[in-house]
Amino acid sequence: MSELFDAVDALVASRSPLPPVEERKRLRVAHGLTLDEVAAALKVRRATVSGWESVRKPTEPRGPEREAYARLLNKLAELYPAPPATDEAAAPTAPAAPSGTPSPAGTHTPTTAQAPDAVALTATENTQPPPAAAGAVADAARPARTTGPSSSRRPAATKTAPPASPAGGIEARFENGPLAVIDVDAAGKTLAYCTGGLVLDVPAKSLPALVDWTLKEARLGQPRLSGPGKDADPLLVLTEAALERYGLPATLTAEERLAGRIPEGHKAVKQLARADWKLTKRGFGPWARIYRPAQGSDRNCVQLCIPSWHALDSRHWGRAAQLPPADLARVLGTYASRVMTPRGSTAVTGLELMTALHPPTRASEPDATGKRHSEHNPGSLGRDPVDCAPCEAPDGHPLLADLPRFHVRGPGEKLFEEACDWARPMTDAECTLRHLVGIDVNMAFAAGANGLVVGLGAPTHVKAPVFDAKLPGSWLVDLSHVDLARVRVGKDKWAELDASLLPSPFTPNGERPEGPAWYATPTVAYAQELGYEVRPLEAYVRYDNGRYLDGWYNRLRDAYLDTMADLGVYADVEPAAFLTAMDGCKERDPQLAIVASAIKATVKGGLGKLRERPRGEGWRPGQPWRALSRPTWRPDIRAAVISRTRINLHRKIVKHAAFTGQYPVAVLSDCVVYAAEGTSPLDFLPYRDGKPLPGGFKLGVNPGLVKHEGTQTVLWGEEVRERFDAPELNLARYIKDGTVTDADNGE
């Protein structure tokens, strides 16, 4: 009978009413919960929870998730009852006064200013948003406030903001968003363009005063991404006009750009020093950090981003540096809300995101005196760096200081896990086809990090170990006996293939290994998967391990999918509809296309930072360099992700070859080129009734699925190879637009 009662209770709960979306968000914020924490508790995606709170496009939970979500909201409502409605809240809002118009006598002087660009954005947001921008508006932007009496409830730009109330929680302290673009208008007025079209007056006349205003009155910043973490410092983006206002150069000289900073004797740096503000060791550069030592839990730090000093790399941020202030605030604000407030380049931000999601320490349980202490946060990389294994060390590392000068380490001495760069001449049959079609794996390296078990601590050296596919590490093993002519493609299924038309999965250049070499765990595990025995000679394994990158992957995946949805490309659509949606998606909203590009660069750059090399600074081989002092300097984690990414791609290539008899002409990192009669991936991908080959390539926007990279003719490919007398020129490098220059080939 109790089971029947439980079933009835669950049925009632599945239809239980939920509070309005605004109340759902208020309750979550009041308890200090992030979207990620709620999503993890309910076992759903972050974007799903965001949809439940979306004002513009709300979605409703279903099934067991609704029951659990309703229970969570009911508990929070008991802790944080809704505040009673006040006369001020119930009173109709007076119409906004135009910017620059004196306030009528007896009214409160407005504390925010609305620029023309922001007014236009407000008019758009107060109507039906276009499909391409709807998600961005709901996730990253708040409705802009116009000047007038109604804006008096915003924090005053010339007065210190009152302390946040407990019910307001974290959001009240950061209600103006994570960042602001500082600019000077034609009338000489300094303005701060925030997310959502909000524009604040900036009373600060000097750089130290600007830092003080930011920390005391601007209400800028971002809540921490995990419980033990730290709130993000406010970010100020200075336009060229703002640089002139605060006594900074509009551009850096060649010498300053090489040094990455302005001189310490610059008057702006001296100004900050006189006001007891400090700069980090990197000095005053494109991503300057201005701080005072923290007092207790209160941080006093502001970060500056200076686009005209090349802070926003055009390879990753496109034309962002040339955007008007309001548009730049939208681009950076969307990125900040979905990834995190930028901490530097996309590479630096990608690395910082790992730490923000897995801080090295946390507060302990109270001791006998009720005092808490700092302790290791389980699942993190810890506070102190660990040495890598000798085989994992890049050339010039202190562990290799005893090697003879100019010694070149071979595969038996060095772990060399890199992306695949392989090509072959086309067969006679392929030359009779008309086109070369490239497909590219979406967020390939992010997909390689998903669910990957990596080492958290130092390596342990083991002689003649038994290989364990669940144990992360580096293994010295001979895989030259693995023959791709006969491989296992299922539990009891083998396939006969033409090995001469396939790259080896065990070397970056696709050549078959000739003897023992060092490999990361995913590579050795793949040899076993193909049906071959492996016997390692030695290994450096990490018994302290975990899925450190899962949270990092989930956040970047959701950020990418949300942004692509704003561009009109949705998950789980038919292949033909996906290809149509991808065609020209960047032109639908060029600003959000910049965000998508930056998210992808954050993945690759963050992983690259795990093995950052020396950057000048007078370094000499055998000496340590600055990056080695970070606990996040982990070449073994980078190698494991690249290994798994390369293996994932090779597995799909093998499945495709076994099923269709088609082989790739070229492979470059996450791009594969096939010869086909038509111009579309659907002309060679084996879809049946809309379903792809299991374990093979599948079209879609999700990480790990593929998109159309580009199509060229077979004649183009043969002409290019003949022109450079290179029958194995990697055509995947040029398949996107077909442009090949002499510089690309060392001419």
Side-chain angles (χ1 to χ4, degrees):
M1 184 65 72
S2 61
E3 294 180 359
L4 293 176
F5 289 163
D6 292 341
V8 170
D9 291 343
L11 185 62
V12 172
S14 68
R15 299 293 190 274
S16 58
L18 297 176
V21 291
E22 298 88 347
E23 178 67 4
R24 301 174 196 177
K25 183 174 182 179
R26 185 193 72 81
L27 292 172
R28 175 179 61 79
V29 170
H31 202 59
L33 298 174
T34 65
L35 290 171
D36 290 299
E37 289 172 328
V38 175
L42 300 180
K43 294 182 172 54
V44 296
R45 291 175 49 218
R46 176 184 180 275
T48 302
V49 181
S50 178
W52 296 344
E53 296 181 359
S54 172
V55 176
R56 296 289 181 185
K57 297 173 64 177
T59 58
E60 290 296 314
R62 295 190 295 257
E65 290 82 10
R66 182 186 182 92
E67 179 182 351
Y69 189 47
R71 182 179 178 85
L72 170 66
L73 295 177
N74 288 336
K75 292 290 185 183
L76 294 179
E78 294 175 4
L79 296 173
Y80 309 100
T86 61
D87 294 339
E88 180 184 0
T93 304
S99 179
T101 303
S103 300
T107 61
H108 185 85
T109 302
T111 59
T112 58
Q114 193 72 33
D117 288 344
V119 172
L121 181 59
T122 305
T124 300
E125 290 178 353
N126 286 338
T127 61
Q128 186 72 17
V137 172
D139 191 34
R142 301 177 186 86
R145 304 293 183 92
T146 57
T147 57
S150 63
S151 68
S152 63
R153 290 194 295 274
R154 302 293 277 176
T158 56
K159 298 180 182 178
T160 302
S165 62
I170 297 172
E171 291 287 336
R173 293 190 288 120
F174 305 137
E175 66 174 322
N176 290 334
L179 54 88
V181 179
I182 308 299
D183 190 36
V184 180
D185 66 10
K189 196 172 186 179
T190 307
L191 303 173
Y193 292 79
C194 306
T195 56
L198 174 70
V199 182
L200 301 175
D201 287 320
V202 181
K205 304 299 182 184
S206 66
L207 195 57
L210 178 64
V211 176
D212 277 324
W213 172 82
T214 303
L215 292 172
K216 294 178 180 177
E217 302 179 36
R219 293 203 175 191
L220 296 173
Q222 190 175 38
R224 65 194 70 183
L225 296 180
S226 67
K230 299 175 181 177
D231 297 333
D233 298 318
L235 173 65
L236 298 182
V237 185
L238 303 184
T239 66
E240 291 189 35
L243 292 174
E244 182 181 356
R245 168 62 51 91
Y246 294 112
L248 293 165
T251 59
L252 298 179
T253 65
E255 183 179 353
E256 291 169 344
R257 189 172 181 186
L258 183 63
R261 66 182 76 184
I262 58 176
E264 294 183 4
H266 192 279
K267 61 180 182 180
V269 178
K270 291 182 177 179
Q271 253 187 350
L272 292 169
R274 285 195 298 269
D276 295 327
W277 289 106
K278 300 179 181 295
L279 294 166
T280 59
K281 291 181 180 180
R282 294 195 179 274
F284 204 124
W287 290 93
R289 299 189 69 79
I290 304 172
Y291 73 98
R292 285 179 182 147
Q295 299 177 351
S297 60
D298 294 332
R299 289 171 59 81
N300 294 293
C301 183
V302 172
Q303 180 165 294
L304 302 184
C305 167
I306 306 178
S308 64
W309 293 8
H310 302 283
L312 301 175
D313 192 328
S314 59
R315 294 172 298 176
H316 309 140
W317 289 102
R319 292 185 56 258
Q322 285 77 48
L323 291 175
D327 293 339
L328 182 56
R330 180 194 178 212
V331 168
L332 294 177
T334 303
Y335 177 89
S337 68
R338 295 180 177 180
V339 180
M340 69 180 300
T341 303
R343 297 289 303 273
S345 66
T346 51
V348 170
T349 304
L351 192 70
E352 291 287 341
L353 180 61
M354 297 180 193
T355 303
L357 294 168
H358 282 287
T361 60
R362 68 178 184 182
S364 68
E365 294 296 324
D367 59 17
T369 63
K371 187 177 181 181
R372 296 179 183 268
H373 306 274
S374 177
E375 66 178 13
H376 173 69
N377 184 25
S380 75
L381 297 182
R383 187 164 37 189
D384 302 316
V386 297
D387 284 334
C388 62
C391 63
E392 298 163 351
D395 294 337
H397 191 279
L399 287 174
L400 310 176
D402 294 335
L403 288 179
R405 192 178 181 187
F406 304 122
H407 174 74
V408 178
R409 294 186 294 161
E413 300 172 277
K414 179 180 180 180
L415 177 69
F416 194 58
E417 294 283 11
E418 297 295 339
C420 184
D421 185 350
W422 169 89
R424 61 170 176 82
M426 283 184 276
T427 65
D428 291 343
E430 288 167 340
C431 287
T432 64
L433 301 175
R434 301 179 63 184
H435 296 97
L436 296 172
V437 183
I439 53 176
D440 180 81
V441 181
N442 291 313
M443 301 270 283
F445 293 99
N450 182 28
L452 179 65
V453 178
V454 300
L456 301 178
T460 300
H461 188 216
V462 184
K463 286 285 189 179
V466 176
F467 177 68
D468 183 354
K470 297 181 180 179
L471 190 60
S474 301
W475 310 78
L476 180 63
V477 58
D478 188 354
L479 299 180
S480 60
H481 64 290
V482 179
D483 187 1
L484 295 181
R486 187 172 187 272
V487 296
R488 186 165 55 199
V489 293
K491 186 175 181 181
D492 297 312
K493 185 177 180 180
W494 291 75
E496 305 290 336
L497 304 174
D498 188 343
S500 65
L501 301 180
L502 286 170
S504 169
F506 308 123
T507 59
N509 62 7
E511 298 294 327
R512 188 166 177 171
E514 297 179 351
W518 286 99
Y519 302 101
T521 297
T523 304
V524 186
Y526 186 54
Q528 276 191 335
E529 180 185 325
L530 292 175
Y532 292 86
E533 185 180 15
V534 295
R535 293 182 178 179
L537 304 175
E538 60 178 302
Y540 288 91
V541 297
R542 288 172 168 82
Y543 295 108
D544 179 15
N545 54 67
R547 293 168 58 157
Y548 173 71
L549 295 174
D550 273 10
W552 183 80
Y553 162 78
N554 289 334
R555 187 160 181 87
L556 289 167
R557 175 203 62 196
D558 290 348
Y560 181 71
L561 292 180
D562 289 347
T563 305
M564 292 304 293
D566 293 340
L567 290 169
V569 184
Y570 302 98
D572 302 323
V573 297
E574 292 297 320
F578 166 72
L579 293 175
T580 301
M582 285 294 296
D583 188 20
C585 68
K586 294 182 179 180
E587 285 71 35
R588 294 182 196 126
D589 192 327
Q591 293 174 20
L592 286 179
I594 292 174
V595 177
S597 172
I599 292 170
K600 291 190 288 186
T602 302
V603 173
K604 290 186 176 181
L607 293 172
K609 277 282 184 179
L610 292 170
R611 200 192 67 161
E612 184 177 1
R613 303 303 306 277
R615 304 177 64 184
E617 304 168 355
W619 175 81
R620 300 182 64 182
Q623 296 179 343
W625 58 92
R626 181 182 297 176
L628 299 187
S629 63
R630 295 192 323 247
T632 50
W633 192 84
R634 293 296 301 270
D636 58 299
I637 296 180
R638 173 187 177 273
V641 174
I642 293 177
S643 165
R644 192 164 186 241
T645 303
R646 192 182 68 246
I647 294 307
N648 285 347
L649 182 61
H650 195 275
R651 183 182 293 111
K652 290 180 172 62
I653 290 173
V654 166
K655 290 286 181 68
H656 185 85
F659 188 81
T660 67
Q662 297 171 334
Y663 294 83
V665 172
V667 180
L668 181 65
S669 186
D670 50 7
C671 178
V672 188
V673 176
Y674 284 91
E677 189 60 32
T679 60
S680 167
L682 290 174
D683 291 317
F684 69 91
L685 292 182
Y687 273 84
R688 287 185 176 178
D689 299 325
K691 296 182 180 179
L693 170 68
F697 296 108
K698 179 182 178 181
L699 290 166
V701 71
N702 294 72
L705 306 188
V706 298
K707 64 178 183 296
H708 184 204
E709 179 68 4
T711 297
Q712 305 298 329
T713 65
V714 168
L715 290 177
W716 165 86
E718 290 297 282
E719 187 275 331
V720 167
R721 285 177 165 177
E722 184 178 344
R723 189 201 323 168
F724 294 104
D725 192 22
E728 296 183 0
L729 180 72
N730 197 327
L731 299 175
R733 183 172 282 108
Y734 317 106
I735 196 70
K736 189 167 189 176
D737 59 12
T739 302
V740 186
T741 64
D742 292 341
D744 292 327
N745 295 278
E747 296 293 332

